[in-house]
Amino acid sequence: MSAGKRPGRSGGRIALGVCAAVGVLALAACSTDDSGSDSGASVTPRPTAPNASDFSGEPPSALASSAASKKAEVKESASAAAESASERAHDFEASVAADVERNRQEFTNALKDVDGQGNAMSDVSLTGKPLAQTNGVRALVVNITNKTDKTASYAVQVDFSDSDGKVVESKVVGARELEPGEKAQPLAISSKPPEPHLTAKIAKAQRY
């Protein structure tokens, strides 16, 4: 009888082994695919779009737009500065021209009622400037020196005459409030062409 039980015990062990092997094979079949990769043990999640609210700053297009805007602002600012400088220069020139015109009118009025050549001919003289230095413009330096012991203003008329002695142009210049011994050198500039030659001389000089 014992001999008959042994085969039964052995057959039970064999049955258990077969079941275990079948179980292992079943697990292997569930956990692997044809490529041998482990598809049942882990699952790769599908990528999702990032949440825009997680980012700080501006997107590239906005940055480019901002940079372009800044560049435009700088260019506009430079243009405005250049325009402002031009306006200031124009205003300054206009102011200087206005001062020159006022002074010229004052000097003209000072000479208007002068008898003869005036009272200051000995205080003034002329110095010519080469045409090469003035780009062909006829200009003379009117040297004025206050030789008195009091502050004085001067008005000087310079006449330009042709070869026949005919005055073809007159210029009035002067200097205001020169201290005793002080000098001034305004320019008498002719609007006539350099040719034909003209002769310049002091026609009147008045101290007032």
Side-chain angles (χ1 to χ4, degrees):
M1 184 165 183
S2 60
K5 289 180 180 178
R6 285 188 189 126
R9 292 174 183 169
S10 175
R13 289 206 258 330
I14 292 172
L16 288 172
V18 171
C19 290
V22 172
V24 171
L25 291 173
L27 287 172
C30 292
S31 61
T32 59
D33 55 15
D34 293 340
S35 64
S37 62
D38 188 357
S39 61
S42 62
V43 178
T44 303
R46 179 177 295 175
T48 58
N51 188 349
S53 64
D54 293 337
F55 295 94
S56 61
E58 297 174 306
S61 60
L63 290 174
S65 177
S66 177
S69 177
K70 292 294 184 183
K71 185 177 180 180
E73 289 178 5
V74 171
K75 185 176 181 180
E76 183 178 355
S77 177
S79 177
E83 183 177 353
S84 177
S86 177
E87 289 178 355
R88 289 197 302 271
H90 181 271
D91 290 344
F92 177 74
E93 290 175 356
S95 177
V96 170
D99 287 342
V100 170
E101 180 57 28
R102 280 194 296 269
N103 289 337
R104 189 191 68 79
Q105 191 60 48
E106 177 182 332
F107 300 146
T108 299
N109 291 336
L111 292 171
K112 185 169 56 176
D113 298 325
V114 170
D115 292 331
Q117 292 182 311
N119 61 8
M121 289 294 289
S122 62
D123 293 350
V124 297
S125 64
L126 289 179
T127 301
K129 294 182 72 65
L131 293 177
Q133 294 181 7
T134 61
N135 198 26
V137 175
R138 184 179 289 104
L140 294 101
V141 179
V142 181
N143 303 291
I144 304 173
T145 303
N146 182 3
K147 296 180 180 179
T148 71
D149 57 359
K150 297 179 180 179
T151 299
S153 296
Y154 288 81
V156 181
Q157 176 181 322
V158 178
D159 286 347
F160 294 89
S161 305
D162 59 19
S163 58
D164 295 329
K166 178 183 178 181
V167 176
V168 297
E169 186 178 27
S170 295
K171 294 293 181 179
V172 175
V173 298
R176 300 182 68 253
E177 299 181 352
L178 294 182
E179 299 290 337
E182 188 178 1
K183 298 180 180 181
Q185 291 183 310
L187 290 176
I189 302 174
S190 172
S191 60
K192 300 296 183 181
E195 296 295 338
H197 176 73
L198 298 178
T199 301
K201 69 174 184 179
I202 296 174
K204 296 181 180 181
Q206 183 69 16
R207 181 175 54 250
Y208 60 98

